[in-house]
Every structure is written in structure tokens, then in C-alpha cells.
Amino acid sequence: MSALFNPIKLRGLTLKNRIVVSPMCQYSAEDGVATDWHFTHINNLSLSGASMFCIEATHVEAIGRITAGCLGLYNDACEAALRPILNSVRKYSSAAVAMQLAHAGRKASSARPWDGGQLIPVEHGGWQTVAPSAVPHKEGEAAPLALDAAGLKRIREAFVDCTKRAARLGIDAIEVHGAHGYLLHQFLSPICNKRTDEYGGSLANRMRFPLEVFDAVRAAFPADKPVGMRVSSTDWVEGGWDLAQTIEFARALKARGVDWIDASSGGVSPLQKIPLGPGYQVQFAEAIKRETGLPTIAVGLITEVKHAEEIVASGKADMVALARGMLYDPRWGWHAAAELGGEVEVPPQYWRSQPSTQKALFGKTTFGAR
């Protein structure tokens, strides 16, 4: 049996394989509301053969969106737009559907990547951003507003409201976004958290707000459904957030019942120097798993089937998540199963695509004609 096609249980959720479709921003929402693009994108990748599809960073308040095209779940219109998409997925796919809840903090009010991705000033149609401290992401940018006690309370409550909306939609799992230089990562990293109150300074203080948000989300989501967290394991900047601090954060999350750590890196500073290459972040998933015993998800330029299999088979991580690899090959999970002798569930409309050399790829199938 292939390690990649062994089931894994996360609370009351059993996944039939270890392949996850990573949350991928599509920058195609309107005022936070999902559009026809999301219907196409989500339905397509829910048939990838991965056991779980994670909806892109879904923002908990309008000013927390990375771009004006980013998805939200902060009002009734956002919730209503996702319902028919999820109904369609459930009709044709057995994949679990997760959602990543996020707030961009000082990296909000950006142009879409294909429009340059830079900060849009308020006078040009952007909005005032917020952060732990009034420190801009890049030199020359307008500074964010430092969050006060009322702002922190508002954002915690926004995460709770979105969690309840996700539960109403029947979302199977939640991933709290604490990575890539967005708000919760901004609290963790000494590069951008310059606070002198109980939310800044020491590691315990910098972890405080992200842990409060995790606790609030965990309490608001059904107890039998899993909640994980995505982290940036290092800032790749001297004096920034690093793996040792990440492991301490993961231990604190474990004590609070986290179900997995999705181990990414970077994003908090344009000074980062990242040594890119296939599986360059697997080391972080491996270290977190080894030091905490928590299930981990490995991410980062994992595209080859044998590489993914080796990561799971060797115990470096419990799952692998693909993003760009899935966009390029939306049936990656099928092809992985064919290569490794695994099995995937697909709708009967696609049964005839099974190669003649892979008669067991889709399990027990029948197809007759007159």
C-alpha cells in the first residue's frame, strides 16, 4: 500500500489519502463575494483525486482582504454565494472541503498580482490597513494603524463570526492562517511587532493574540471537526521569526487541540532570502512533527509523485499539499494513484477515462451500452 494513499483521521474526519489541494488566492471575488470563477475553480479541483480541498484565504473582515478581489465570509452575501458552490461539490465529489480563515493586516489593500501587487494608497482607492504596530511592510509605504484593544476584540469576534458561517455552510475543516506575513504572523514576528503591551516583546506575548484567535475559532467550530494552522516556520531574515520559535508556538497550539500544522515560510519582509527548490520547506514540517508529535502538512514546490510519496513514507510529514502543481495538472491525484497503485473516487461520468492498464484506479466500476 502506498503511504500517500493510506487514510488519515483528523478528529471525526477521515481522509482517504494524504493529498491536499492548498488554499490558493484567486483574486476574483467581488466585494468579498464568490463569483462564477470560484464555482469553476472549486468544482474542478474538488475532482483532483486529493482527499481534501482547501478554499483560498477567506477574510474575516473587508479591510483584512489582501486585494479588492479577495474572498471574504464577513456578511450574508459572502455566505450565500458559497452555498451553491459547496452544494455542487457535494453532489459530485467525495473530497472534504476545508477553508482557510485569514486577515492580511498591513499586507491588505494591495493590487492584484497581475496588476503589480503593490500597496494601493487610500487616495487611489485603497483602504487604511491595521497591524500590531505602525510599521509599514516596505520602506516608503504608508504605515498601518496599530491595533488597540477594541481593534483586537473586533478581529477576534470576526474570526468567530466567520467560523460560525463556515460551520453553517458545512465546511469540514478550518485552517487558521498564521503565515506569509499576514496579520497573525505579524504578531508573531519581532520584525513587525514592536508593541510594548502584553501582545509584544517576549515570545509568550507575541504568541498571545494568534493563540487567542485559535482558541476562539476552535471553540466556535463543531468539536468533531478539525482545526489546523498554517505557519511561516521562518522569516528567512536575521533576527526574525524562526523555526525554534515556531516549534514553541506549535507546542502551545498542541495544548489547545490543534489538529495539524501546515508548515510554510516567509512573507513578512521583502528582505527575505529564500533558497527555492523542490521540497525546500519539507524540513520544517519534519522538525515540527519530530519535536511536537503533531500531524504536519508539507508544502512548497512539491510536484513529483515519487517525491510526495517519499515525504509521507519516510515520516517527514503526514500529508502533502499542492498548489501550483494542481493548477498545472488538475488530475494530479489520479495520476499519483496510477503511478503508486492507489485508488481514487471519481464521478461515474468520468469512469470511461480509466486507462486500459489501470483497471482498478477508480475502484469497482461498471459501464455498459446497448
Side-chain angles (χ1 to χ4, degrees):
M1 169 69 77
S2 153
L4 204 57
F5 286 89
N6 255 333
I8 184 170
K9 188 173 174 63
L10 302 166
R11 292 199 183 227
L13 179 66
T14 298
L15 302 177
K16 293 183 179 179
N17 62 52
R18 308 300 183 93
I19 307 166
V20 177
V21 179
S22 257
M24 291 178 270
C25 291
Q26 297 297 293
Y27 312 103
S28 300
E30 295 174 0
D31 296 324
V33 174
T35 63
D36 287 346
W37 176 259
H38 294 92
F39 190 96
T40 299
H41 170 70
I42 294 172
N43 274 277
N44 179 33
L45 289 184
S46 72
L47 299 175
S48 69
S51 61
M52 186 161 70
F53 171 91
C54 191
I55 294 172
E56 67 191 88
T58 304
H59 296 88
V60 301
E61 64 174 0
I63 66 165
R65 291 172 297 158
I66 305 163
T67 76
C70 283
L71 195 63
L73 190 56
Y74 45 75
N75 60 31
D76 291 346
C78 293
E79 185 178 340
L82 284 168
R83 185 163 283 109
I85 298 174
L86 290 167
N87 288 344
S88 180
V89 169
R90 301 303 190 191
K91 194 179 295 184
Y92 300 112
S93 170
S94 62
V97 181
M99 176 180 279
Q100 187 184 68
L101 294 184
H103 192 297
R106 69 179 188 173
K107 288 181 78 174
S109 191
S110 300
R112 292 171 177 85
W114 49 81
D115 293 324
Q118 300 307 299
L119 175 71
I120 301 175
V122 173
E123 60 270 24
H124 293 137
W127 57 86
Q128 177 61 60
T129 63
V130 297
S133 307
V135 179
H137 179 69
K138 291 173 66 175
E139 190 176 341
E141 288 184 347
L145 289 178
L147 285 160
D148 59 12
L152 295 175
K153 181 173 184 287
R154 183 191 75 242
I155 291 171
R156 278 195 304 269
E157 290 175 350
F159 270 94
V160 169
D161 177 62
C162 287
T163 300
K164 291 177 177 177
R165 290 182 184 277
R168 284 201 296 267
L169 287 167
I171 293 295
D172 298 301
I174 282 177
E175 181 172 271
V176 179
H177 201 346
H180 300 165
Y182 300 127
L183 183 66
L184 299 186
H185 182 189
Q186 289 162 28
F187 272 89
L188 294 170
S189 176
I191 288 173
C192 45
N193 184 345
K194 305 298 182 182
R195 298 175 75 99
T196 56
D197 64 1
E198 69 270 31
Y199 292 104
S202 69
L203 175 58
N205 282 359
R206 285 182 280 117
M207 294 194 308
R208 191 182 308 277
F209 187 65
L211 290 174
E212 287 178 357
V213 168
F214 176 83
D215 285 344
V217 169
R218 179 62 276 175
F221 203 51
D224 64 331
K225 293 186 173 185
V227 177
M229 187 132 192
R230 175 166 276 199
V231 298
S232 274
S233 307
T234 176
D235 288 341
W236 299 107
V237 177
E238 188 74 28
W241 182 254
D242 58 22
L243 180 58
Q245 294 174 87
T246 299
I247 288 168
E248 289 306 308
F249 183 48
R251 287 183 175 132
L253 287 164
K254 182 178 183 179
R256 289 161 167 79
V258 77
D259 293 292
W260 73 79
I261 299 292
D262 187 349
S264 190
S265 69
V268 87
S269 170
L271 301 178
Q272 64 188 19
K273 290 182 170 56
I274 303 177
L276 291 174
Y280 70 102
Q281 296 177 139
V282 173
Q283 58 178 314
F284 304 131
E286 182 179 13
I288 293 164
K289 178 178 168 66
R290 181 181 64 247
E291 296 298 324
T292 68
L294 282 167
T296 59
I297 301 178
V299 299
L301 301 182
I302 300 166
T303 59
E304 299 301 318
V305 171
K306 285 187 172 64
H307 185 201
E309 171 73 6
E310 184 275 329
I311 290 166
V312 176
S314 63
K316 292 173 183 171
D318 298 274
M319 294 166 276
V320 295
L322 286 81
R324 281 169 276 192
M326 283 287 182
L327 292 182
Y328 189 72
D329 178 5
R331 300 290 178 265
W332 193 93
W334 298 18
H335 302 146
E339 189 170 329
L340 299 173
E343 182 182 303
V344 288
E345 286 185 26
V346 306
Q349 293 92 331
Y350 287 172
W351 283 355
R352 283 182 292 181
S353 70
Q354 189 168 249
S356 60
T357 56
Q358 301 286 340
K359 292 299 187 184
L361 181 60
F362 299 156
K364 186 178 180 181
T365 61
T366 58
F367 214 93
R370 294 182 63 194

